[in-house]
Amino acid sequence: MKVLVAGAGIGGLCLAQGLVRAGIDVRVFEREPGPDSRYQGFRIGLDEPGLAALRECLPHRLHGLLEAVTGPLAGERRVVDQQLNEVRRLGAASGGTAADRHVLRQLLLAGLGDRVEFGRAVAGYQQRADGRVEARLTDGGSAVGDLLVGADGVGSAVRRQLLPGAEVTALPGNALLGRTPLTEPLSGLVPGAGTLVRGADLSLLIGRMEFRRPPRLAAAELAPEVELPDAHSYLRWVAMLPEPLSPEPGAWAEVRDRLLELFDGWHPDLVELVRRSDVGNSSPLTIRYAEPVPHWGTGPVTLLGDAIHAMPPSAGQGANTAFRDAALLCRSLTAVHRGEAELAAAVEEYELRMLERGFAAVAEGLARLAEFTPAR
Ligand SMILES: Cc1cc2nc3c(=O)[nH]c(=O)nc-3n(C[C@H](O)[C@H](O)[C@H](O)COP(=O)(O)OP(=O)(O)OC[C@H]3O[C@@H](n4cnc5c(N)ncnc54)[C@H](O)[C@@H]3O)c2cc1C
């Protein structure tokens, strides 16, 4: 069996790791020219099921490194006002793990070698008379496999062809994603699992990414064949504004200065958080989510992660569900590989469970969105 994957994001790579582990032939096509070619790093919170799915796909020899380069995500999530007075508690997070997307992605590339082809975007596909599928690449190339998995994120080219009526909605307003080095004075901003600052015209969601060990050093010691970035602990924050900044600013330095005007009179530590934001790792963010779709007739093309059920970050589940999709699909395909199941039936079973779980998480994220939007 040969599996083609569109997209080397964290979901597609997790699937590829699991398939390689099961002895299944896989090729991954990634649009970006390389793993570092655009800003890739923000903190994601993983829950126990998400982490278990990731571990299930990763080879055992990398489990120690995964533990070393993630961080704790525990304690109270609190809501504060713009002077940092506590307003409310949202409950404690238990058993969570904070991971940096860029570090995770580099870890997930370990050992995949030339199975991952960077700079090769999937344009579409064609079902063949023999039941197989041919993926068409924008560079004019193509590849034939038994299954094509669209793991190509929220703008998925595979989904556009498979489900032309599927809709993705962009949230109105504006979100800005910032990253600020974790320093002693700023660490008090997030004493627990997360802090939400609710201002009248702007709200700020702050999370902490504190690596247990510096990723590059941990890799050198625990798995020297893996190259991890020289990343340092940071605070990740998302500022939600009711309207886009107008006129639209250009570079982050300009965005930051405009944002600072809105922080006039706020607690000095919050002003400092924005002022010290890292120019290379902060950017405006469009929040999009997928409208639910019914199950389609199963064929040699399927979808995974944000490509099918993109959700707002308020769900805290996008990466978790992408990993769970990957592990579930991997289990189904392993059964086919072992001769214990038929491909079409195995993929259909995956799709039904993936759709139910994925769109339940989208709905939950939308229901929680109001908590994160500015008070006025
Ligand atoms: C600010 C923020 C905070 C978040 N916090 C959390 C959190 O706390 N917990 C959580 O679980 N989730 C969180 N998420 C969501 C999570 O990051 C995503 O759901 C997850 O990255 C989705 O993974 P994916 O592999 O499906 O898609 P992606 O990671 O988007 O990967 C898709 C890949 O496909 C490639 N691609 C696109 N088009 C093509 C093409 N035509 N051909 C080939 N390749 C293509 C892209 O370049 C990309 O590499 C957060 C997201 C944001 C923005």
Side-chain angles (χ1 to χ4, degrees), residues 5-13 29-32 38 40 42-46 101 105 120-123 151-158 160 177 236 238 285 304-307 311 313 315-322:
V5 180
I10 50 181
L13 290 176
F29 299 101
E30 166 58 44
R31 178 181 63 182
E32 303 282 342
R38 71 180 160 98
Q40 303 280 356
F42 48 82
R43 185 203 73 153
I44 46 185
L46 299 178
R101 184 179 177 275
R105 196 164 178 248
R120 305 203 74 191
V122 172
D152 46 349
V154 64
S156 172
V158 178
R160 277 202 304 273
L177 180 59
R236 186 274 292 131
V238 181
L285 173 74
L304 174 158
D306 277 9
M311 58 192 81
Q317 283 297 318
N320 284 299
T321 46

Side-chain angles (χ1 to χ4, degrees), residues 76-94:
E76 196 62 50
R77 287 165 303 174
R78 45 180 211 136
V79 183
V80 299
D81 66 18
Q82 46 209 64
Q83 297 306 328
L84 296 182
N85 301 306
E86 187 168 302
V87 178
R88 206 152 57 89
R89 292 186 168 208
L90 296 173
S94 60

Side-chain angles (χ1 to χ4, degrees), residues 210-234:
E210 194 163 9
F211 297 105
R212 287 192 185 88
R213 308 255 324 261
R216 178 168 284 179
L217 293 179
E221 191 184 308
L222 298 171
E225 75 282 14
V226 182
E227 210 174 299
L228 293 186
D230 191 18
H232 300 278
S233 297
Y234 60 88

Side-chain angles (χ1 to χ4, degrees), residues 55-294:
R55 283 206 200 97
E56 186 179 327
C57 293
L58 261 192
H60 281 297
R61 64 185 168 79
L62 296 179
H63 287 194
L65 182 57
L66 174 66
E67 167 74 12
V69 299
T70 49
L73 184 68
E76 196 62 50
R77 287 165 303 174
R78 45 180 211 136
V79 183
V80 299
D81 66 18
Q82 46 209 64
Q83 297 306 328
L84 296 182
N85 301 306
E86 187 168 302
V87 178
R88 206 152 57 89
R89 292 186 168 208
L90 296 173
S94 60
T97 294
D100 174 75
R101 184 179 177 275
H102 184 39
V103 170
L104 257 191
R105 196 164 178 248
Q106 292 291 126
L107 179 62
L108 280 164
L109 280 166
L112 292 180
D114 56 12
R115 292 184 186 92
V116 183
E117 300 176 39
F118 282 96
R120 305 203 74 191
V122 172
Y125 61 85
Q126 201 158 10
Q127 294 198 29
R128 295 172 19 132
D130 62 1
R132 303 184 88 204
V133 59
E134 179 171 348
R136 284 184 292 100
L137 307 176
T138 52
D139 61 12
S142 66
V144 176
D146 298 287
L147 183 69
L148 168 64
V149 183
D152 46 349
V154 64
S156 172
V158 178
R159 182 197 62 236
R160 277 202 304 273
Q161 183 173 343
L162 182 67
L163 304 171
E167 282 177 40
V168 171
T169 304
L171 280 182
N174 196 19
L176 303 171
L177 180 59
R179 171 164 159 165
T180 305
L182 183 63
T183 55
E184 190 53 36
L186 294 183
S187 70
L189 287 174
V190 190
T195 299
L196 171 65
V197 190
R198 283 201 86 182
D201 297 312
L202 140 77
S203 65
L204 192 66
L205 189 62
I206 317 170
R208 176 200 287 251
M209 177 68 244
E210 194 163 9
F211 297 105
R212 287 192 185 88
R213 308 255 324 261
R216 178 168 284 179
L217 293 179
E221 191 184 308
L222 298 171
E225 75 282 14
V226 182
E227 210 174 299
L228 293 186
D230 191 18
H232 300 278
S233 297
Y234 60 88
L235 290 173
R236 186 274 292 131
W237 47 270
V238 181
M240 307 261 292
L241 281 61
E243 284 166 24
L245 291 173
S246 166
E248 203 177 305
W252 179 256
E254 202 188 322
V255 176
R256 181 195 56 203
D257 292 348
R258 297 275 298 283
L259 190 57
L260 281 170
E261 290 167 19
L262 302 176
F263 274 65
D264 190 30
W266 286 44
H267 191 284
D269 287 353
L270 293 169
V271 175
E272 209 52 14
L273 176 78
V274 176
R275 209 176 58 75
R276 289 175 177 261
S277 56
D278 170 351
V279 179
N281 282 300
S282 305
S283 65
L285 173 74
T286 305
I287 298 180
R288 286 175 286 182
Y289 65 91
E291 303 289 348
V293 290

